[in-house]
Amino acid sequence: MQDQLSALLAKASAELPALKTRPDFEAAKARYVGPNGELTALMKQMGAVPKEQRPAVGKLINEAKTALQGHLDAALATIANAELAAQLGPAVDPTLPSPDFGPGTSHPLTLVREEMCRILRKVGFTVADGPEVETEYYCFDALNTPSDHPARDEKDTFYFPASARFGNVSKKTPEEKYLLRTHTSSVQIRTMLKGSPPIRIVSPGRVYRRDTSDATHSANFHQLECLYVDKNVTVRDLKALLDYIFASLLGKETKTRFRPHYFGYTEPSFEVDLTATHLPKVKKPWIEIGGCGMVDPTVFEAVGYDPEVWSGYAFGMGLERLAMLLYGIDDIRYFYQNDLRFLKQFA
Ligand code: DAH
């Protein structure tokens, strides 16, 4: 038996490493360990081995089995490696310089964001930033948005578990609930608390809502917020600035109109529509583009500004909507798919 096992292992160690394909491997495996295989045949002879020799012979067979399995595994690994190498093609020389992919291009949302900031800088606005993980205080409470407001609903907003802590997101009220900000208006509060009037800021950034994605909705999109605080600011100043911005970005044919609306943080409040039918693909005469109004005295009180002295306006709008108008894009999802055929058009 020992000789037979040794002969079998010698044969296997010579034959198996030379196998090139999976079908050859499977055939060889069957010849050794299949139901009619050579090792299987030897194992069947155990029945004829005298009882007292069985433990010793059993041990020999087990050792042979393990060794054979080792040869089989190695042969299969060699075949798998060869298959992978064939898939990968010729060996890569990592010391060669990489092929020139050409310079990248700015994303259309980046282009619009930068252009809006440039337009606003020209009239004295500076760019302000705020965190995307916000507290209810900055996102809602200080903006006169009470706890029963629909924007605060669990169904509309991404809250973090009560145990979550994010550094110093809120120094004022560290025990608060955290959420992904639903709008950039939170930066109004942060800016007013940090500084003192007059204030003139633009704050572009990412915002989050529980929205089902479709051609015009995305759970994650971008807004641009503006806040102006000074003495004797009027609705006329607000309208003039919006007219200036949209004429600069979309062309001087662009006109705006205000519709009365409600926002907790402004009084009066308006929705802003614009008309820009000179742009390709713009069919509708009026398109809603954002919200605005005169800063509510309650908000000034929340940040310690005297509403008898200070006045101001604020507005917010979606950057995607602006980019879609400007470039004639009809599906918001294109912005996030990273499809080079789309992105290269803005080179
Ligand atoms: N935060 C509002 C939104 O997300 C937009 C907005 C409305 C911003 C009025 C403002 C404002 O600053 O005054 O829909």
Side-chain angles (χ1 to χ4, degrees), residues 182-183 185 188 209 223 225-226 263 265-266 291-293 314-316:
T182 56
H183 55 183
S185 304
Q188 290 187 27
R209 309 242 173 115
Q223 283 188 335
E225 188 85 15
C226 277
F263 295 105
Y265 31 102
T266 41
C292 68
F315 59 87

Side-chain angles (χ1 to χ4, degrees), residues 2-199:
Q2 188 159 16
D3 293 347
Q4 282 172 308
L5 287 171
S6 302
L8 185 118
L9 282 179
K11 192 162 87 166
S13 67
E15 179 191 13
L16 294 178
L19 295 174
K20 294 272 179 291
T21 67
R22 279 179 196 261
D24 286 353
F25 170 80
E26 292 302 333
K29 185 175 166 189
R31 278 201 303 281
Y32 288 102
V33 292
N36 300 315
E38 293 179 42
L39 183 68
T40 320
L42 290 176
M43 283 161 75
K44 281 182 190 155
Q45 292 175 17
M46 270 293 270
V49 173
K51 207 171 166 193
E52 57 286 2
Q53 287 177 25
R54 269 193 212 160
V57 175
K59 189 164 169 260
L60 284 177
I61 289 185
N62 273 339
E63 281 165 7
K65 218 167 129 185
T66 310
L68 185 60
Q69 190 59 49
H71 290 310
L72 286 168
D73 291 346
L76 188 58
T78 307
I79 293 171
N81 283 341
E83 283 172 352
L84 185 64
Q87 260 176 23
L88 292 176
V92 174
D93 180 351
T95 63
L96 288 175
S98 29
D100 185 4
F101 291 113
T105 58
S106 288
H107 192 280
L109 291 175
T110 306
L111 293 174
V112 172
R113 186 192 70 219
E114 285 177 350
E115 180 60 9
M116 287 293 274
C117 289
R118 194 189 64 80
I119 291 168
L120 282 153
R121 273 201 200 97
K122 270 171 89 171
V123 288
F125 284 75
T126 52
V127 178
D129 204 7
E132 289 170 25
V133 176
E134 239 333 337
T135 65
E136 287 191 303
Y137 173 76
Y138 290 108
C139 206
F140 301 128
D141 295 307
L143 285 162
N144 192 29
T145 305
S147 53
D148 58 354
H149 193 280
R152 299 180 67 148
D153 199 287
E154 294 277 345
K155 288 203 299 293
D156 294 322
T157 304
F158 292 106
Y159 285 96
F160 287 90
S163 57
R165 285 281 171 273
F166 296 92
N168 272 340
V169 173
S170 167
K171 289 199 187 74
K172 264 186 109 65
T173 46
E175 295 312 317
E176 263 184 313
K177 259 207 221 162
Y178 291 87
L179 61 136
L180 291 175
R181 66 178 176 188
T182 56
H183 55 183
T184 41
S185 304
S186 49
V187 186
Q188 290 187 27
I189 302 301
R190 290 181 170 276
T191 308
M192 286 193 279
L193 283 174
K194 248 193 312 205
S196 51
I199 284 173

